[in-house]
Amino acid sequence: MKFYSTADKSNIVSLREAVLGGMPKDKGLYMPESIPRLPESFFESMATLDYQSLSFEVARQFLDNDIPAAILQDIINEAINFETPVLDIENRIKTLELFHGPTLAFKDVGARFMSRLMAYLIKDSDHKLTILVATSGDTGSAVANGFYRIPGIDVIVLYPDGKISLIQEKQIATLGENITALKVAGNFDDCQRLVKAALVDPDIKKSLMLTSANSINISRLIPQSFYYFNAFRQIDNFRSISIVVSVPSGNFGNLTAGLIAKRMGLPIQRFIASTNINHIVPDYLENGRFEPKPSIQTISNAMDVGNPSNFARILDLYATSWTDIRRAIWGTYFSDDETRQAISSVKKSCGYILDPHGAVGYLGLKKYLTQHRNVDIGVFLETAHPAKFKDIVEPVIQDTVEIPKRLADFLNRKLQSQNLSNRYEDFKEFLLSNSD
Ligand SMILES: *Cc1c(COP(=O)(O)O)cnc(C)c1O
């Protein structure tokens, strides 16, 4: 399949270029040329398929001509190596837990798939691929772990000194081998500026094959549609009842992947775009105006996004029709106080511990169900394990959050990051001295 840019539909590229290039030069985002509808027989048999076979059927619709079937299945088996269970929370409310991967957040799914796909796409190249990623926390840890020990690929993660949590730093900076962690004397914007400058620097292009690994890469989006199918597979009679899905959102990659699943025929009646007070998309759904703003810090910090990068894809999927987008997505947002309140009340009523992001998803769903009585089941996505946000969650529930073993293992490892100033010349020198 080929991919076009949302900014210019005549700008059509191969899978290889879309994945390794990341972002079109016209500043649009890549979209698959078509989104095939899966046959009825697929949905009939969905409940009997396992997660990996199901993911293969979905992926094949986009990647069939570019990747041999056996290799695609291998990529999926390696990438999708943890479950995404659906659990009952309350009457009519279920959660889809996406945090059972190595870094305990849903970004593991996209990062693990992207890494294996990239490794396949560069396998005949003479040069190593170097991936640069600027992170404010979660993306860097998922990417670092997703690419750890992937042959032919080096990853350099830039993170702001003192501005990410210890858990996140340990997940980024203790791996070593093909993962280099640079602790930048500056903020996240400095990290991003250094990465962007390097990606367009002709001196560096001469000696390094560089790309980025941010959330707009199409190879992260495609696998994120897999778990929507895997969720419905776990719900009895999913074809004959009405189901809505609430997605706690920041850059809207997760929700966009859900829209793709819906376009492929998965019977998702409607999406709920649940955000924190960075409510750019809920405002658009309300008044038709998309007005990016500087982001505001909240306790659901992976959703502190003032200019949601996947919005262009949502517009593209619905040919910019506000009416159609509103039919598919309902938006709402919540304050930190409301989020804390939800964490506390759900713990009290059913013993379940939400993380701050999942709590926003839960609140959005709850609000929707109160106003829409004709829905049978609502599912909210739980995007991170509460232990990743211990500092916020524990005082609210007045109890301890158990740390899963794979997180505890990270905490016991030694940090091995290198310091970097926020000057581009220093970063450039670092990159050139590391190329060979
Ligand atoms: C990245 C992230 C989100 C937001 O996902 P988008 O695809 O950017 O909307 C939500 N929750 C957690 C825990 C995240 O890491």
Side-chain angles (χ1 to χ4, degrees), residues 65-134:
N65 293 328
D66 298 284
I67 303 171
I71 290 178
L72 181 58
Q73 188 69 70
D74 285 348
I75 291 176
I76 286 172
N77 292 350
E78 274 190 39
I80 310 298
N81 67 341
F82 51 91
E83 267 307 321
T84 62
V86 172
L87 272 64
D88 288 321
I89 299 295
E90 286 168 21
N91 184 28
R92 297 206 293 161
I93 296 187
K94 295 178 189 286
T95 182
L96 167 61
E97 291 187 343
L98 299 175
F99 56 70
H100 296 275
T103 73
L104 297 92
F106 83 93
K107 290 188 175 71
D108 285 327
V109 176
R112 292 179 67 77
F113 186 87
M114 171 167 63
S115 61
R116 277 131 187 109
L117 184 61
M118 282 183 171
Y120 173 74
L121 294 173
I122 59 147
K123 68 180 179 359
D124 298 324
S125 158
D126 302 333
H127 299 285
K128 268 193 318 199
L129 178 65
T130 301
I131 296 193
L132 301 182
V133 50

Side-chain angles (χ1 to χ4, degrees), residues 106-107 138 248-254 302-303 357 383-384:
F106 83 93
K107 290 188 175 71
D138 268 5
S249 295
N251 272 314
F252 280 78
N254 214 350
M303 313 196 311
H357 305 80
T383 46

Side-chain angles (χ1 to χ4, degrees), residues 51 82-89 93-101 103-109 138 224 227-228 231 234 244-249 254-255 272 274 299-303 339-340 342-344 346-347 350-365 378-390 392-393 397 401 406:
Y51 188 11
F82 51 91
E83 267 307 321
T84 62
V86 172
L87 272 64
D88 288 321
I89 299 295
I93 296 187
K94 295 178 189 286
T95 182
L96 167 61
E97 291 187 343
L98 299 175
F99 56 70
H100 296 275
T103 73
L104 297 92
F106 83 93
K107 290 188 175 71
D108 285 327
V109 176
D138 268 5
Q224 286 183 201
Y227 48 70
Y228 288 91
Q234 299 172 62
V244 296
V245 178
S246 173
V247 187
S249 295
N254 214 350
L255 198 144
I272 297 143
S274 304
I299 56 168
S300 47
N301 61 12
M303 313 196 311
T339 306
R340 286 199 175 88
I343 295 172
S344 163
V346 170
K347 171 71 165 63
C350 56
Y352 190 80
I353 304 176
L354 295 165
D355 98 289
H357 305 80
V360 170
Y362 166 85
L363 282 167
L365 178 56
V379 180
F380 68 93
L381 273 45
E382 187 31 298
T383 46
H385 191 288
K388 283 193 95 167
F389 300 92
K390 239 168 129 19
I392 293 157
V393 174
I397 61 170
V401 178
R406 62 197 186 289

Side-chain angles (χ1 to χ4, degrees), residues 383-421:
T383 46
H385 191 288
K388 283 193 95 167
F389 300 92
K390 239 168 129 19
D391 301 350
I392 293 157
V393 174
E394 287 185 339
V396 173
I397 61 170
Q398 294 173 6
D399 200 350
T400 50
V401 178
E402 205 181 314
I403 300 190
K405 181 171 182 308
R406 62 197 186 289
L407 190 54
D409 288 347
F410 276 115
L411 290 171
N412 291 331
R413 300 218 289 247
K414 208 168 140 348
L415 288 172
Q416 40 183 308
S417 44
Q418 303 176 42
N419 292 308
L420 187 75
S421 80

Side-chain angles (χ1 to χ4, degrees), residues 136 188 249-251 276-278 293-307 336 357:
S136 52
F188 171 66
S249 295
N251 272 314
N276 56 33
I277 50 164
N278 295 281
K293 299 191 174 67
S295 68
I296 303 166
Q297 203 178 341
T298 74
I299 56 168
S300 47
N301 61 12
M303 313 196 311
D304 294 350
V305 178
N307 186 4
D336 281 353
H357 305 80

